[in-house]
């Protein structure tokens, strides 16, 4: 066998995807991290039109200028971020944006602060770039929210970057404004980069979202259309940073992806400029499901933080065999250990499934796993 590159040896195949291999075809999936809604009709129509009009060729490397101009308006209106179309890159989902951020700025010897627990892709892109991970605890007693004082304790002269994700996957935690601002101030004082993954920004219930780029120039802000507009399979995201950072990001993007999908870009333009009614309905339904699943889990005796955003809950479940027993009973979940050391004794459950299926899943867990 030809030996693989050493950097790939640190990468583990996704535990989330592994759970999808369950043999029971009738299992209720509370593991999937994508909305169970369809792409809004106006966005579908825009993409169909783009194909009919043969707008299917290469776009500019950074994306169509019309789309980037709308993204600039969105950043200003929603996030208080002043940017420029030349500092916006349209990417193949937020995943590409995360990858090129790591490739452009991380190398061996760099320390990267990583909230624990956090989305498993962050660890992978850091490892592929050769950075060293320094975990920062997101404790259940703090509702899994990253606190600025905990970040400060981990900063050293080798600190190169920190990942922020609010609302959070896997916990649904929404960071407080004072912590966002304080970490932004730290990034300027200690000269490190904030990679802010804001993909769940619009799926938020009881809180307000704040972007660190409003308070610091050392921020790469990443977002996309997968979660807000249920466009997961269309792989369309975007990012912005200051002039110098964008130039380095663009080098990696141009020499790996070239440009994102032209048809998806036309859909993204319609998503930003068209009606937002479907988004509001989706978020309202997610909140209804959140209330159901938290209530049911707490009723079973599983301590569960009332997640304020995204579509995940992260109950404390100390039964090491819970995931396997749940799968055998017909409910797919994801072990919290996939998301970091602090994920142990927790389970991630997604409520991106119908209200009726969540009710049924909770009944199965109560009858066959808890009381079985």
């Amino acid at each position: 066998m030809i030996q693989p590159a050493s950097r790939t040896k640190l990468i583990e195949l996704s535990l989330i995807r592994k759970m999808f291999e369950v043999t029971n075809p009738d299992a209720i999936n509370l593991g999937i991290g994508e909305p169970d809604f369809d792409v809004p009709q106006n966005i579908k129509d825009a993409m169909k039109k783009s194909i009919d009009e043969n707008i299917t060729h290469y776009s500019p490397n950074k994306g169509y200028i019309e789309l980037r101009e709308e993204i600039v308006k969105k950043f200003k209106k929603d996030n208080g971020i002043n940017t420029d179309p030349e500092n916006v890159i349209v990417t193949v989902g937020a995943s590409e944006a995360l990858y090129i951020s790591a490739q452009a700025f991380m190398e061996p010897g760099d320390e990267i602060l990583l909230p624990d627990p956090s989305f498993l892709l962050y660890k992978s892109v850091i490892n592929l770039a050769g950075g060293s991970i320094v975990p920062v605890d997101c404790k259940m007693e703090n509702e899994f929210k990253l606190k600025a004082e905990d970040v400060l304790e981990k900063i050293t002269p080798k600190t190169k970057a920190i990942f922020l994700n609010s609302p959070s996957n896997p916990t649904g935690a929404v960071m407080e404004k004072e912590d966002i601002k304080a970490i932004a101030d730290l990034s300027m004082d200690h000269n490190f980069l904030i990679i802010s993954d804001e993909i769940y920004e619009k799926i938020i219930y009881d809180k307000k979202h704040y972007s660190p780029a409003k308070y610091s120039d050392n921020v790469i802000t990443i977002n996309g259309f997968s979660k807000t507009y249920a466009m997961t399979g269309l792989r369309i995201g975007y990012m912005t940073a200051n002039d110098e950072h964008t130039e380095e990001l663009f080098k990696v993007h141009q020499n790996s992806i070239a440009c994102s999908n032209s048809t998806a870009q036309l859909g993204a333009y319609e998503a930003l400029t068209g009606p937002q009614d479907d988004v509001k309905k989706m978020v309202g339904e997610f909140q209804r499901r959140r209330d159901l699943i938290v209530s049911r889990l707490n009723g079973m005796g599983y301590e569960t933080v009332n997640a304020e955003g995204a579509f995940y809950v992260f109950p404390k479940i100390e039964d090491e065999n819970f995931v396997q027993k749940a799968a055998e009973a017909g409910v797919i979940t994801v072990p919290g250990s996939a998301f970091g050391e602090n994920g142990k004794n927790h389970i991630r459950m997604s409520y991106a499934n119908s209200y009726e299926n969540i009710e049924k899943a909770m009944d199965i867990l109560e009858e066959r796993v808890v009381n079985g």
Side-chain angles (χ1 to χ4, degrees), residues 8-9 12 37 44 51 155 158-159 189 286 289 315:
T8 67
K9 292 181 179 179
E12 298 175 358
F37 298 89
K44 291 180 184 177
I51 294 172
I155 295 172
K158 294 182 179 180
T159 301
D189 294 343
F286 277 142
R289 297 174 187 177

Side-chain angles (χ1 to χ4, degrees), residues 61-294:
N61 290 136
K62 289 183 179 178
Y64 290 120
I65 184 62
E66 296 84 358
L67 174 57
R68 287 185 282 131
E69 288 172 344
E70 290 302 321
I71 291 171
V72 167
K73 293 177 186 176
K74 182 261 177 237
F75 274 131
K76 176 66 174 176
K77 176 176 177 287
D78 293 348
N79 308 98
I81 299 173
N82 293 311
T83 188
D84 175 284
E86 285 305 304
N87 286 354
V88 171
I89 302 174
V90 182
T91 59
V92 181
S95 296
E96 186 220 334
L98 292 165
Y99 176 77
I100 67 174
S101 296
Q103 290 297 311
F105 289 100
M106 298 175 194
E107 56 192 351
D110 290 338
E111 292 181 353
I112 314 301
L113 306 186
L114 186 63
D116 183 353
S118 63
F119 181 42
L120 48 84
L121 184 61
Y122 305 151
K123 178 181 177 181
S124 295
V125 299
I126 295 168
N127 284 334
L128 284 170
S132 298
I133 294 171
V134 177
V136 184
D137 289 339
C138 295
K139 302 168 185 174
M140 191 173 190
E141 52 263 40
N142 291 330
E143 299 180 314
F144 299 112
K145 298 177 184 182
L146 185 66
K147 309 302 290 184
E149 56 265 30
D150 294 327
V151 173
L152 178 60
E153 288 182 2
K154 297 299 180 78
I155 295 172
T156 75
K158 294 182 179 180
T159 301
K160 187 67 168 289
I162 185 172
F163 281 81
L164 299 186
N165 178 217
S166 178
S168 162
N169 176 5
T171 67
V174 176
M175 289 181 64
E176 302 295 339
K177 178 183 179 181
E178 54 265 31
D179 289 306
I180 291 281
K181 188 176 186 306
I183 293 169
D185 291 341
L186 288 172
S187 76
M188 298 294 286
D189 294 343
H190 296 271
N191 195 34
F192 62 84
L193 194 62
I194 296 174
I195 301 170
S196 182
D197 179 1
E198 304 182 15
I199 193 71
Y200 295 99
E201 168 199 31
K202 295 292 186 180
I203 305 174
I204 195 167
Y205 315 119
D206 312 308
K207 304 286 287 187
K208 181 174 169 54
H209 173 76
Y210 295 94
S211 296
K214 184 177 180 179
Y215 311 106
S216 170
D217 194 42
N218 286 345
V219 182
I220 299 171
T221 304
I222 296 170
N223 211 320
F225 299 86
S226 292
K227 313 301 183 181
T228 302
Y229 300 97
M231 295 171 67
T232 51
L234 293 161
R235 310 311 303 133
I236 186 81
Y238 56 93
M239 64 197 309
T240 194
N242 66 26
D243 292 345
E244 294 177 357
H245 295 157
T246 300
E247 182 177 353
E248 301 308 310
L249 294 164
F250 185 52
K251 290 176 184 177
V252 184
H253 171 79
Q254 186 182 57
N255 288 285
S256 56
I257 300 301
C259 66
S260 65
N261 181 297
S262 57
T263 300
Q265 287 190 60
L266 271 292
Y269 178 85
E270 174 61 26
L272 290 178
T273 59
Q276 304 297 305
D277 296 348
D278 285 323
V279 176
K280 294 175 182 176
K281 290 177 184 176
M282 181 178 71
V283 174
E285 177 59 18
F286 277 142
Q287 184 169 7
R288 192 169 80 101
R289 297 174 187 177
R290 186 277 310 264
D291 293 344
L292 169 67
I293 197 169
V294 169

